[in-house]
Each structure stands twice: as C-alpha cells, then as structure tokens.
Amino acid sequence: MPKLIVILGDQLSPALASLRQAKPDDLILMAEVNREATYVKHHKHKIILLFSAMRHFAAVLRQQGFNVCYLAYGETIVNSITDAVDYALQQTAITKIVVTECGEYRLQQELLSWENRFNRPVSILEDDRYICSISMFAQWATDRQQLRMEYFYRLMRRHTGLLIDQQQQPVGGQWNFDKENRKACPPDITQIPPLAFERDEITEAVCQLVDQNFADHPGAVENFRYAVTGKNARSAFLHFVEHQLAKFGDYQDAMLVDQPFLFHSICSMYLNAGLLDVRWMCQKVEAAWKEGRVNLNAAEGFIRQLIGWREYVRGLYWLKMPEYVDNNFLQAERPLPAYFWHSNTKMRCMQQAISQTLEYSYAHHIQRLMVTGNFALLAGLSVKDVTDWYLAVYCDAYEWVELPNTLGMALFADGGILASKPYAASGAYINRMSNYCKHCHYNVKESLGEKACPFNALYWDFLDRNATTLGQNARLQLAYKNWQAKGPEQQQALRLKAQEILIHVEQL
Ligand code: FAD
Ligand code: DLZ
Ligand code: SF4
C-alpha cells in the first residue's frame, strides 16, 4: 500500500529525507495553502519564490515518474497543510504518512497532531539537510553555562573538516578572522550585481496569482527576478563565489547608499527553501580558497555564517521553544512606527534599509542588526511587532532562523541566551560602516538639538533606562563608565532629548 509523502514549501531538496524513502507507487503531496501564506503578511516575493519553486520542483518529480498531488492555490478548498493531507487521504488508499521535520514550532505541532487525527502512523524524519541535528545541538548545550556561537562553530569545523588541517587544527592558525572583516567600503568600488533571472511561464502565472490574492502584502510583483529552481540557485551562488566572495570578507559589515547587495551572496532565501545545499556551498567556498581565488578571511568568514551562525540559531530555536517566543527581557512594548511599512523617514539609514527591504525582500545582516534592529532595540519597540515584521518582510524568513536573530540577537529579549551583550550602538557606528550619514537630514555628530541623530540620545537613554537589568553586564562596563562621565546635567539633557524623540517616534 502506498505512503503519503508530504513535502513542505521550504523542503524543495532532491535529497530530502522523506523523498529518499519514496517508491514509485507512493503519493507525494505538495500544497499552496492560505494559512501558510498569511500567518504573517509575507512579502509578495517570498510567496512568489515559494509557490513558483514548489511548482518547478513538482514538475521535476513528475518527470522522474513520481505520483504528485499538487494543490495549487485557490484550485481546491484546502486552507492548511492538514486540510491538504485530509484531502489526499480521501483520494487514495494510504497506509502511512511520511514527512521531514519542519522549521517552525507552530507547524510542527500541526504535524504532530496527524497520527491521532488521521488514525494512521506518521513518520516525522530528521531533517539531515542541516549539519547539526536538533539532538546533537541539545547534547552540545547540556551542562554549558553559556551557549556561545564561537565554541559551537569550532565543533562544526571539526565535525565537517572544513578549513581544518591534518593536525585537526584550523588552517591559518586561527579559528576566526572576524577582526579583518569590518572595513568600511569606498563608495566608488566596482561591483558586479547578483544574477537575476527571467520569469518563465510558471513564475508569470504565480506573479499574477499573488498580485490578485495578496495585494495587501508588502512588495510588488513586477521586480521579482529571483531563482526558482535548484539549477538557477546554484548558478547564482557560483556567480557570487566567482565575483563577490573575494570582497565579502573585507566588506561584510559595510553599507552604502543605494547599494542593496554589495558583496553578499543573496542566497539565504534559496538555501532556506531547500534549493541550495549547505555542504555543497561550503565546499565551493573552501575550493575557491584552496585554489588561491579568495583570501582565507573571506572563505572563513562565509563558512562561519553557514556552519556557525546558521546552525547555531537553529539549534537554539529548537532547544528553547516554545517558551523562547514569549521572552521580553527589556519589556519592550512600543508599537512599530508606520515607516517600517513604507520607509518614509528622514533617518537615511532606516530609509535605506527599509526601502530596499520592501523593494527586494532583502537586506543584509548589518542592515538588519545594526540599523533596523538597533533602532528597535534603542527605541524599545514591541518584540512581537518587530519579530512579526522580520518574519513577514524577508524572503528568507522562517521562524527557526528569524526568531533567534531578531528576538535574541537584535533585541536582546532573551536576556543574553544568544548574545553576551546587546548589539546597541549610537550613530557613530553607522557612520563608521556606511556613507548613510553624509546623506542624512540628521547630524550624526550631534546628540542634542533639532538636527541631532536620533540614535545618539536613544543610545544613552537605553543604557540609563535599562541600568538595573544591564548595568552588571561585564561587556557594558565601558559604556556605563562613559555614561557616568557625562555628569548629571548632560545626562538629564540626553534623557529629555530621548523622551522627545520617543514621543515623536512616528515623525522621525
Ligand atoms: P550573506 O551575508 O551572503 O551570508 C551568507 C549566508 O550565511 C546567508 O545566506 C545565511 O544563510 C547565513 N547567515 C549569515 N548570518 C546568519 C545568521 N545570523 N543566522 C542564520 N544564517 C546566517 N537569516 C535568514 O536566513 N532568515 C531570517 O529570517 C533572518 N532574519 C534575521 C533577522 C535579524 C534581526 C538579523 C540580525 C539577521 C537575520 N538573518 C536571517 C541573518 C542574516 O541577516 C541573513 O541570513 C543574511 O542577511 C542573508 O543574506 P545573504 O544570503 O546575502 O547572506
Ligand atoms: C512560508 C510558506 C508559504 C508562504 N506558503 C507555503 C505553502 O503554501 N505551503 C507550504 O507547504 N509551505 C509554505 N510556506 C512555508 C511554511 O509556512 C513553513 O514556514 C515551513 O514549512 C516551515 O518549515
Ligand atoms: Fe542614521 Fe543618524 Fe546617520 Fe542619519 S545621522 S543616517 S539617522 S545614524
């Protein structure tokens, strides 16, 4: 008797655990469903990417001879993945359901309900597309006082053998070249843009569907040019390795006006949907270094993001959920200002990060962390509003990766589980890493007065406001010393300025 193999929208990998079990008489189920498309207002590009990539993936499976039940959006009355399973079970005699573990706690609970609901055995297989399984991470975390990424990353380097020499030591004698990866970028630097792809008939049809059914979601369908197949995603990545990787190391923290992509790979959206394989990507990067095409700081910096940060945030998510989502260590409750949805603000850095987010469903790490994230942290914006925003607007956003990055890294709402101190910074940091301030209405050198950069007073006020919870943090001692050195009069002026900024936060 055939099995029902359920493939979710972010499981578009030919080597997926559940697909490896597929036999010719099994039924493979894929479904475009309203609940998944609307649990937050996903950017139109994210829905186009997933629906089109799902359709392309299903077509390949059919060419390979598999039976695929593909429920296209609006063509059957199924609202959720569970409804879709129910529908498929009514069409065919099925003995068993097989699915690979999913990336969101919310949906995983739904999968766990199937056995009772459908009265059939359900196998939920480990997602071995990740290098570190959920249980391996939990084992690593056991009995550790602190879960620091750096130590996890070393374990992953040894586990994969990436950039490891014959003595089991890191090549170049160092695990981490982060200090070499913080250069500002000259504005006239030569750049080769990331690969963009023509839309085929399938993508055109999906664009129309998204335009008609998700009109009130952020973004526009017209400029969608991302890859929707594994083949094109691999070309996009190889193009990055060839043309951008060499400069990725030096400039990975840099930001320039009207340069949304710089030397980043723009590949998280493909990788997270299953169109790219993390081991293959790392091997290509390691090979580029071995062949002398890129320096070690570029190769190590990139591999660290993939086998370090990415695997670490996933492990942490599954270790700490479901309680993790309710953390609000700094009691941040201020509603999200409307410019997060239209980018109309005089703060040039925010305007740049938000407008490119709305246009391309993309911003790079430092824009997410040190511009929008830093602003949200300093202004005490609601953790729920902010995490929902990040989950909605980015093409690469799934809760397993979005939540630890936003709640933990950017907002310090987990009180230091992920990061040893808040990533709080004044305008000086943004000025050092970008040319945004040169093109801004506000003056980054000023903290008081009408034209003062809002990040400055907000930064000092953030430290002051949270002194009882953050004042003992060892890594903030210098910052608190600088605050004390200001003296009572200047401190009071900064508090008042911050209050004024927060009262008018919608008008900045
Ligand atoms: P590159 O700069 O080229 O980096 C290479 C790859 O490393 C990325 O493709 C990504 O897969 C991985 N990576 C780098 N940093 C991280 C990280 N901190 N966590 C996980 N993977 C990482 N990434 C997501 O994939 N989805 C999200 O929803 C997401 N939300 C974020 C929210 C905030 C507040 C912050 C600060 C970061 C978030 N990130 C998220 C991490 C990171 O910003 C993106 O992975 C990166 O910007 C994607 O662009 P890229 O592919 O050009 O990455
Ligand atoms: C994000 C998303 C969207 C927009 N639509 C679908 C869908 O229609 N069908 C589907 O199977 N998955 C979709 N997804 C992804 C899921 O919401 C969820 O984030 C992942 O499957 C978690 O692993
Ligand atoms: Fe942003 Fe302040 Fe610089 Fe303006 S001056 S771009 S608000 S950091």
Side-chain angles (χ1 to χ4, degrees), residues 2 16 19 74 89 157 211 216 219 232 277 403 427 457 482 489 506:
L16 190 74
L19 268 180
L89 293 177
R157 285 274 293 278
D211 212 20
D216 60 340
N232 282 349
D277 175 71
L403 193 72
N482 289 339
E489 218 169 285
E506 288 282 354

Side-chain angles (χ1 to χ4, degrees), residues 346-350 426-428 430-431 434 436-445 452-456:
K346 298 191 284 295
M347 294 178 286
R348 191 66 161 147
C349 52
M350 290 285 284
S426 68
I430 295 173
N431 193 31
S434 77
Y436 291 159
C437 303
K438 288 197 184 79
H439 301 263
C440 186
H441 164 89
Y442 296 107
N443 185 341
V444 72
K445 305 277 180 207
C453 165
F455 283 76
N456 292 341

Side-chain angles (χ1 to χ4, degrees), residues 290-338:
K290 280 187 176 158
E291 290 157 16
R293 289 186 280 136
V294 303
N295 289 337
L296 186 53
N297 74 318
E300 186 281 319
F302 194 82
I303 286 175
R304 176 162 19 99
Q305 309 308 318
L306 286 178
I307 67 169
W309 280 112
R310 183 170 184 269
E311 299 281 335
Y312 169 77
V313 297
R314 176 173 182 264
L316 196 83
Y317 174 79
W318 287 109
L319 186 72
K320 297 292 177 189
M321 281 300 277
E323 294 80 15
Y324 198 70
V325 73
D326 295 322
N327 278 309
N328 191 357
F329 182 67
L330 300 174
Q331 295 176 2
E333 303 286 358
R334 195 178 303 284
L336 198 73

Side-chain angles (χ1 to χ4, degrees), residues 6 12 29 47 57 79 112 116 145 147 191 220 245 255 282 284 291 293 318 350 352 386 447 450 463 465 491 495:
V6 183
L12 309 179
L29 171 68
I47 306 179
F57 192 75
N79 241 324
L112 288 167
N116 273 343
Q145 299 238 308
L147 305 178
Q191 285 181 55
L245 176 62
M255 299 172 281
C282 290
K284 293 291 169 199
E291 290 157 16
R293 289 186 280 136
W318 287 109
M350 290 285 284
Q352 285 283 298
V386 176
S447 300
E450 214 184 305
L463 290 177
R465 193 167 9 116
Q491 285 182 342
R495 281 188 198 107

Side-chain angles (χ1 to χ4, degrees), residues 406-470:
T406 308
L407 185 149
M409 195 185 303
L411 302 180
F412 203 68
D414 64 6
I417 296 173
L418 185 141
S420 53
K421 75 173 180 76
Y423 284 88
S426 68
Y429 173 86
I430 295 173
N431 193 31
R432 196 161 61 245
M433 296 315 303
S434 77
N435 65 352
Y436 291 159
C437 303
K438 288 197 184 79
H439 301 263
C440 186
H441 164 89
Y442 296 107
N443 185 341
V444 72
K445 305 277 180 207
E446 289 179 20
S447 300
L448 302 170
E450 214 184 305
K451 284 277 181 101
C453 165
F455 283 76
N456 292 341
L458 284 180
Y459 171 72
W460 294 116
D461 187 59
F462 168 81
L463 290 177
D464 185 40
R465 193 167 9 116
N466 294 300
T468 40
T469 38
L470 299 176

